[in-house]
Amino acid sequence: MKVRVKKIAEDVILPQYETPGAAGFDFHAYIKEPYILKVNKRYAVPTGLIFEIPEGYELQIRARSGLAARNGITMMNGVGTIDSDYRGEVHVLLTNRGEEDFVIEPGMRIAQGLFERVDQAEFELTNEEFSETKRGKKGFGSTGV
């Protein structure tokens, strides 16, 4: 799949896959000087990249496991979604859930991106009963820990 990408400045780092088997590619922080992300705060980190995502796809932005495991740095919204009709610069909404302030360095790998197929549902309003399932209406934690 080919995806068009534009850098907003010459020194922006293009996304790349670190290994041949990698599912996600890396986003780098496009900041001019280090940024201190305080404990329990958030920051929309610019990437300097604009994507033309093909219709029928989304760009998912996910936390980097190493930053989360070592420093408590994760995504504020779990997984970010960039829709195919968005044409602005991508930002990564990081939050610090660690125990110490964290320094985001210029060019640091801050998140990973994956392209996923998506379908738009056609919603059909009904007043009829739904089919029965083993789980039924049981909610949070109903299938065990």
Side-chain angles (χ1 to χ4, degrees), residues 79-138:
V79 174
T81 293
I82 308 297
D83 299 305
S84 65
D85 58 351
Y86 178 67
R87 293 296 184 269
E89 179 185 0
V90 172
H91 288 72
V92 176
L93 188 55
L94 293 183
T95 187
N96 184 348
R97 297 291 182 220
E99 297 172 2
E100 299 177 4
D101 293 347
F102 181 79
V103 179
I104 301 170
E105 299 285 349
M108 176 184 272
R109 293 184 298 159
I110 55 168
Q112 57 184 332
L114 288 87
F115 290 99
E116 294 286 336
R117 285 189 186 274
V118 293
D119 290 314
Q120 286 190 336
E122 181 179 326
F123 299 100
E124 179 182 333
L125 181 62
T126 183
N127 289 321
E128 298 174 13
E129 293 296 318
F130 289 118
S131 60
E132 295 291 325
T133 66
K134 182 178 177 182
R135 182 177 183 177
K137 296 178 182 179
K138 298 174 191 163

Side-chain angles (χ1 to χ4, degrees), residues 31 33-39 41 43 96 101-104:
I31 54 179
E33 52 190 54
Y35 180 88
I36 298 172
L37 183 57
K38 302 257 186 218
V39 174
K41 297 297 180 184
Y43 175 48
N96 184 348
D101 293 347
F102 181 79
V103 179
I104 301 170

Side-chain angles (χ1 to χ4, degrees), residues 53-66:
I53 302 165
E55 190 171 326
Y57 286 86
E58 66 165 327
L59 170 54
Q60 291 184 0
I61 302 176
R62 300 180 182 186
R64 294 194 66 235
S65 59

